[in-house]
Amino acid sequence: MGWESRLTAAAADIDLIDILWRQDIDLGAGREIFDYSHRQKEQDVDKELQDGVEQEDTWPGEGEEVLAPNLLVDGETGESFPAQFPADISSLTEAVPSESEPPGLQNNLLSPLLTGTESPFDLEQQWQDLMSIMEMQAMEVNTSTNEILYNNPPGDPLSTNYSLAPNTPINQNVSLHQASLGGCSQDFSLFSPEVESLPVASSSTLLPLVPSNSTSLNSTFGSTNLTGLFFPPQLNGTANDTAGPELPDPLGGLLDEAMLDEISLMDLAIEEGFNSVQASQLKEEFDSDSGLSLDSSHSPSSLSSSEGSSSSSSSSSSSSSSASSSASSSFSEEGAVGYSSDSETLDLEEVEGAVGYQPEYSKFCRMSYQDPSQLSCLPYLEHVGHNHTYNMAPSALDSDKQMSRDEHRARAMKIPFTNDKIINLPVEEFNELLSKYQLSEAQLSLIRDIRRRGKNKMAAQNCRKRKLDTILNLKRDVEDLQRDKARLLREKVEFLRSLRQMKQKVQSLYQEVFGRLRDENGRPYSPSQYALQYAGDGSVLLIPRTLADQQARRQERKPKDRRK
DNA sequence: TGTTCGTGTCATCAA
DNA sequence: GATTGATGACACGAA
C-alpha cells in the first residue's frame, strides 16, 4: 500500500503534503522526503489507534481549523503554506528561528543536522553532481546502478522511495540516543562546545526532558488528525523548509528513465557477454566521437585475396623451399621479423618464435598478417605476394610466377641467391655470401636495395602493428578510467542518499521527542518558543528558541572564521 | 567516383 | 661510417 493511497484517509493531509512538496520540488526535494516521517507517524498513529485512545490535537490551537488562518499563499506556486513555521523541527541547536527574523534567515537556521552539513551539498554542488552523472550515463557499463535503483522490493515503501542499497549502512531503528551519539557528531553540529558548556542545571530557562506519561502520550498521538498531529503548522513549515533546500534528492533529476535506459543498454551489452572492446563499440553507437574506429567486423579469417594467392604461390617457390632450412635458423637467431604480412616466408613455428608482435588484436585488425594460423604455407619473406603492387598478370599465375618487383629484378640481374637470404641473413653471413660470388656493381647495388627494402618492409609492418597496439591500449585505458569514474559517481550518489536518510531520521526523531514533551501542566511545548538541543554527554535539553538562535549563529560564524 | 584500408617504399633519425 | 630499426609520409591497388 503506497503512501499516497494511505493518505487518502486524510484528504487534508494530502493537500498539506502536496503544498509542501510543490514548494520544495523546485529545490530538488523529492516527495519522498515527506514520506518517511509520515510513514513513521502513521505507525505511531496505528499504534495509538490500536490502543483505542482518541485524543485531541496536542498542539493547542494548531489543528487544521487554526492552521487555515495561518496559511500564506506562495507567490510562486500559488499554494498555501503555514505562516509561522519554525525553521526546522529537527534543528537541535541553531534551528530555532526567532519569529522576528526574515524568512531568508530562517532558511539558514534550519536543522543543524542539515545546515551544518549542507555546505558541500549546496545547490551548485548538486548541479555539479547532476552534470557528472549525466556524463556517467554515457559511459556507464556497470550493472550495479540498475540493481541499486530498481531492485528494491516493490512492496517496501521505504526502499522503494529511497532506493536504499542493500549495504547502505542505515540503521532503520535508530534510537534517539543513537541518533545523538557517535557517528552523527561529525556531520551534525549537535555537540558543539557551546552546547556542552551550557549551564544546564543553573539555567532556569532550561527544562530537563520529562518523558510524558502514557496519558500525555496518548493525548499526543491519539488524534486522528494527521496534520495537526504530525505536522503542526510550525512543524510542517519546518519540514517544508528542511526538505526543500536542505534535502534535495541527489537522484531526483539525475537518474531519470532515459539515463537508466541507456545504462541498462550498456549493462545488457556486458551481461550478454560482450567483451570490453565490443562494449566500447556498442558505446560508439551512441557516441562515436573518439575518432578511433576499430573495425572488428573484419575477421582475421577474411584474408585478402592477394594474401591468399601470394601465400599459395610463394609457398611453391622451389628456390625458397630449398633455402628455407638454412635461412630459418639464422632468422630465428637474429630475431628477424615479428609478424609478417608476407608471412609466406617462415613456417609457423619460426613466426611465433620470432620477435615481432603476436596478433593479440588480430580480430580488430584488417591486416591480413594477423593470424599465423591462416598461413598454411610459409615460404620466404621475399615472396611478397601482394597482388596489387607487384603481381604479374593473371595469365602468368603459376606456382612461382607471383614475385615481387625485387624478385623480378633479382631474376633479371641473375642474382645467384634468394631474396630471402638477401634480406634475412645476418650481416656476417650476408657478407660471406656475397664474397662467394663474383658480382657486378649493379648486382651488388640491387642486392643491397633488396635487403634494405625487405628489412624496411618488415619494420614498417612492425611499426604499424605497434601503433595499433598503442591505440588499443589507450582505448582500453580510457574504458577503465571511465568505469572507475562511473563507479565513484555511483558511490557518491549512494553516500548522498544515505546522508539524506540519516538527516530525515534525525528530523523525525526530533519531531517525535519534541511532540512528546509536556510542561508541568501537561501541555506540549510550542516549537516556536522552545527547541531541543543535544548536549555533549548525550543528553537532550529543551532550551528557549532565543538561546538556540544564538547557538546557531555561533555555529554559522565558525566555518566562516575558519575560512579566514 | 570518391573514400578508406592495407601495403610497400622512401627518407630520415637514432642507436 | 656502416648497419639496423623505427617512423612519418607518400603512392598504389583493392574493396
Side-chain angles (χ1 to χ4, degrees), chain A residues 8-9 12 16 35 101 111 137 176 208 216 228 230 274 283 309 437:
Chain A
T8 55
L16 182 57
D35 180 60
E101 286 177 336
S111 166
Q137 63 177 299
L176 177 62
S216 57
F230 300 118
F274 286 21
K283 281 196 292 184
S309 61
Y437 299 89

Side-chain angles (χ1 to χ4, degrees), chain A residues 319-351:
Chain A
S319 61
S320 302
S321 60
S322 63
S324 61
S325 58
S326 62
S328 59
S329 60
S330 300
F331 303 160
S332 299
E333 293 167 3
E334 192 183 18
V337 211
Y339 67 87
S340 168
S341 64
D342 318 322
S343 45
E344 310 87 328
T345 54
L346 295 174
D347 60 31
L348 183 55
E349 291 85 348
E350 288 161 349
V351 168

Side-chain angles (χ1 to χ4, degrees), chain A residues 497-510:
Chain A
R497 186 158 40 201
S498 297
L499 181 62
R500 188 184 64 188
Q501 288 183 294
M502 292 176 66
K503 290 176 180 177
Q504 288 170 339
K505 284 182 183 302
V506 175
Q507 176 182 343
S508 176
L509 287 169
Y510 183 99

Side-chain angles (χ1 to χ4, degrees), chain A residues 481-549:
Chain A
L481 290 173
Q482 286 175 336
R483 240 187 300 275
D484 289 344
K485 182 181 178 183
R487 177 180 53 80
L488 292 173
L489 283 172
R490 271 198 310 275
E491 291 177 2
K492 181 180 180 181
V493 168
E494 287 305 313
F495 287 142
L496 287 174
R497 186 158 40 201
S498 297
L499 181 62
R500 188 184 64 188
Q501 288 183 294
M502 292 176 66
K503 290 176 180 177
Q504 288 170 339
K505 284 182 183 302
V506 175
Q507 176 182 343
S508 176
L509 287 169
Y510 183 99
Q511 288 179 258
E512 183 175 345
V513 170
F514 194 93
R516 295 189 186 196
L517 292 179
R518 294 295 178 273
D519 60 13
E520 312 83 52
N521 300 324
R523 290 179 301 184
Y525 289 98
S526 169
S528 62
Q529 296 175 354
Y530 293 96
L532 291 178
Q533 193 167 52
Y534 282 104
D537 58 358
S539 62
V540 179
L541 306 175
L542 184 67
I543 62 173
R545 280 249 167 214
T546 53
L547 184 58
D549 287 344

